[in-house]
Amino acid sequence: MDFTSNFIVQLINGIALGSTYALIALGYTMVYGIIMLINFAHGEIYMVGAFVGLALVTIFKVHIIIAFLGAMLFCMLMAVSIEIIAYRPLRRSKRLAALISAIGISIILSNLVNLLVGPKPQTFPSIEKILFEIKSFDLIAGAQINTLQILLIIVSAILMIGLQYIVKRTKVGKAMRATSQDYDTAALMGINVNRIISYTFAIGSALAGAGGVLVGIYFGVVKYNMGMLPGMKAFTAAVLGGIGSIPGAMFGGIILGVIEMMTVAIGFSSYRDAIAFGILILVLLIKPTGLFGKQIFKKV
Amino acid sequence: MLSIQDIHVKYGAIRAVMGISFEVKAGEIVALIGANGAGKTTSLRSISGLVKPEQGKIFYNDIELTSMPAHKIVEMGISQVPEGRRVFPLMSVLENLEMGAFTRKDKNKIKDDMKKIFQRFPRLEERKNQLAGTLSGGEQQMLAIGRALMSNPKLLLMDEPSMGLAPMLVQEIFKIIREINSEGTTILLVEQNARMALSIANRAYVLETGQVAISGEAKEMAENKEVQKAYLGL
Ligand SMILES: Nc1ncnc2c1ncn2[C@@H]1O[C@H](COP(=O)(O)OP(=O)(O)O)[C@@H](O)[C@H]1O
Ligand SMILES: [Mg+2]
């Protein structure tokens, strides 16, 4: 394989990986947008999503599509409960209190899964057995893309377009935006602010659950601590795009995935994580509002 | 229609309202006037359910509002134009108006009401796709009023709608308040501009440090020596 071909292959890998970062990053950014909390448990919600998907496919023998939707639903309900139990009582306290609570939830979830299934990686049934045979297609310069990558990218794209539709066009989505701009005034419109915050957690976490199952299918293994690193990278992606910005999280995720795989392409694969977090530090130093940061109007 | 009975409100240790009572009858314009920090905004926030009085009661047509959540109070037919306008800056004019109609389900009537608002404020229609944060102060005030009207309120609470506006616009806003009232909406108006407020109100209450100091018919209040000295600069 020559350089161009390798470049294209890694670009595709980067977009696929970046799509999963984007799915997770959306939850960080939505929750931050509405309650100004960096939800440290979000990476673990993604991990739980992957395990729920695995359990549904292997133990309950349901179709992968049902397992996918089931994992999304489970993550929704779990995140809504977490918000009510662990964050809502702290909403009027200092922000650090809720942050610590989130870290606590993150530790509880990863340890709970460790306890239930053990620390060994669990293999996800191969997509070839449960959905379709993986075929590869030739692109230019001898580079190839396979059906699994196409699946991952398309499903992520559909979810993100769906999210954009909800947020831009539906009544709930508009209420989410209004609430994220001004709680009191949102309440004066007749918006049930608590309910809208629940919806936000539900939607963000459904996306993380979807991401978990997709990653399970794509990489073939899931593990109790798999939420940690992608969680932090997705957070980086959200900051890179501009925390609070939904398009920012989408592009930030893709850009980060591509940069990471490009690092691999030029032969620095052992530095891929360092590069990702280097970007986080650079963004925070140079442009804390990120690529799509929109601090034009001050928050009331 | 609205009856505030001896409410007390605290923010932490700060006592903002200390035993205020007043009434608003259907069809009236009632003015609440008083210096900065007198407790006017806090009184409106209590009615809307944004703060909970620690003592006292609020009734709306014999239904107790005191412990009702804010979003339910809007459903009862009470909406508010908050102090400082508080439009949603990152949403368009149209979306801001839609938010005003959040509790309603009658799609066709909402459309009609939106048309009426655009007739009343043609500037808003010209700018309907513009972000509310980019509007001028006067336009934002019109949007805040339009948005509050979109819930089709029976009682409209207005908190200093003339604040920070040029004299021409102040006139315009007061004209609009009178029109809204003559079309059947009861109004509770908080104002620093006491002269203008008294000129359009039926009755008025003067608040001083969290209590009602003087109250009565607006016309009589405008002639009251104390009120003239303290609030009308005469
Ligand atoms: N959020 C708040 N936290 C603490 N104190 C407040 C808050 N809002 C108002 N206050 C205090 O409550 C008192 C009444 O304020 P307010 O109701 O805003 O008066 P007005 O609208 O008449 O100017 C003032 O002393 C003010 O400083
Ligand atoms: Mg005030």
Side-chain angles (χ1 to χ4, degrees), chain B residues 11 14 16 35-42:
Chain B
Y11 296 103
I14 300 167
N36 240 330
K40 305 181 298 295
T41 297
T42 304

Side-chain angles (χ1 to χ4, degrees), chain B residues 15-18 37-39 207-211:
Chain B
R15 296 170 60 170
V17 164
M18 299 172 278
L207 301 192
E208 268 169 25
T209 58
Q211 286 173 319

Side-chain angles (χ1 to χ4, degrees), chain A residues 40-42 44 47 101-111 228:
Chain A
F40 262 101
H42 193 62
E44 275 60 45
M47 176 273 294
S101 188
I103 294 172
I105 294 290
S106 144
I107 294 171
I108 291 172
L109 288 178
S110 56
N111 281 290
M228 185 74 187

Side-chain angles (χ1 to χ4, degrees), chain B residues 5-206:
Chain B
Q5 301 176 358
D6 192 34
I7 57 166
H8 295 247
V9 185
K10 272 204 233 168
Y11 296 103
I14 300 167
R15 296 170 60 170
V17 164
M18 299 172 278
I20 286 182
S21 302
F22 59 87
E23 299 231 351
V24 181
K25 300 192 195 94
E28 281 188 314
I29 297 181
V30 172
L32 286 186
I33 57 181
N36 240 330
K40 305 181 298 295
T41 297
T42 304
S43 301
L44 291 198
R45 287 170 62 82
S46 310
I47 299 167
S48 282
L50 294 176
V51 289
K52 297 292 165 203
E54 56 168 11
Q55 201 185 311
K57 289 186 157 124
I58 300 170
F59 287 95
Y60 174 68
N61 296 333
D62 297 326
I63 301 163
E64 189 170 350
L65 301 184
T66 327
S67 56
M68 209 181 265
H71 62 271
K72 292 268 190 240
I73 291 172
V74 182
E75 282 172 32
M76 313 266 322
I78 302 178
S79 73
Q80 186 177 150
V81 181
E83 184 175 44
R85 330 186 213 294
R86 304 280 280 262
V87 296
F88 299 112
L90 299 172
M91 297 174 89
S92 69
V93 168
L94 204 61
E95 287 173 332
N96 267 273
L97 292 174
E98 286 171 6
M99 285 296 102
F102 187 81
T103 54
R104 296 172 61 184
K105 293 188 175 65
D106 43 346
K107 282 222 170 96
N108 292 328
K109 278 231 53 216
I110 293 175
K111 271 215 182 98
D112 291 347
D113 285 350
M114 182 97 72
K115 264 191 210 130
K116 271 189 222 152
I117 303 240
F118 283 146
Q119 273 163 14
R120 182 169 269 143
F121 305 113
R123 294 283 285 266
L124 294 184
E125 182 159 32
E126 289 163 26
R127 288 165 169 63
K128 65 181 177 194
N129 295 317
Q130 199 170 314
L131 291 186
T134 65
L135 299 178
S136 72
E139 289 161 355
Q140 289 193 5
Q141 189 58 260
M142 290 172 188
L143 180 56
I145 295 173
R147 184 180 64 179
L149 290 175
M150 283 302 290
S151 70
N152 205 359
K154 294 185 195 73
L155 173 63
L156 182 61
L157 315 175
M158 304 181 90
D159 199 344
E160 305 213 26
S162 75
M163 187 169 58
L165 299 184
M168 278 274 292
L169 273 171
V170 173
Q171 294 284 345
E172 169 88 18
I173 295 281
F174 276 93
K175 196 183 113 219
I176 288 162
I177 296 171
R178 211 184 263 146
E179 280 171 16
I180 294 169
N181 176 250
S182 67
E183 286 161 22
T185 308
T186 307
I187 290 174
L188 176 57
L189 173 67
V190 162
E191 261 301 335
Q192 292 255 354
N193 190 334
R195 185 190 313 275
M196 289 294 282
L198 291 178
S199 77
I200 66 164
N202 302 100
R203 292 184 305 112
Y205 295 81
V206 175

